[in-house]
Amino acid sequence: MITGAGGSIGVVLCARVLAFRPAKLVMLNLTESGLAALEQHLLAQGPSSTTMEFVLGNVLDAALLRQWMP
């Protein structure tokens, strides 16, 4: 899971992690606009074998984090 995924550092970090072709990458961001821009950016890079999950939420939401990081 990458938190703050829609921010400037988060976008670069997501792209670099995807280069390693993980089975799944969960990307968490506080704003819907940042998350949507990230999704468009990554999907424009072409098809990926990685399952990408884009999650809108706050890192302070413990229940949400438990849901995505069992």
Side-chain angles (χ1 to χ4, degrees), residues 18-19 21-23 42-43 45-52:
L18 285 172
R21 299 182 181 154
L42 294 178
L43 294 178
Q45 304 301 312
S48 174
S49 60
T50 299
T51 300
M52 293 186 274

Side-chain angles (χ1 to χ4, degrees), residues 8-19:
S8 57
I9 295 171
V11 170
V12 173
L13 187 56
C14 290
R16 294 216 177 165
V17 168
L18 285 172

Side-chain angles (χ1 to χ4, degrees), residues 23-45:
K24 183 177 182 178
L25 178 59
V26 178
M27 294 160 276
L28 176 72
N29 202 65
L30 185 59
T31 65
E32 189 173 0
S33 60
L35 205 57
L38 171 64
E39 183 175 11
Q40 289 177 352
H41 174 76
L42 294 178
L43 294 178
Q45 304 301 312

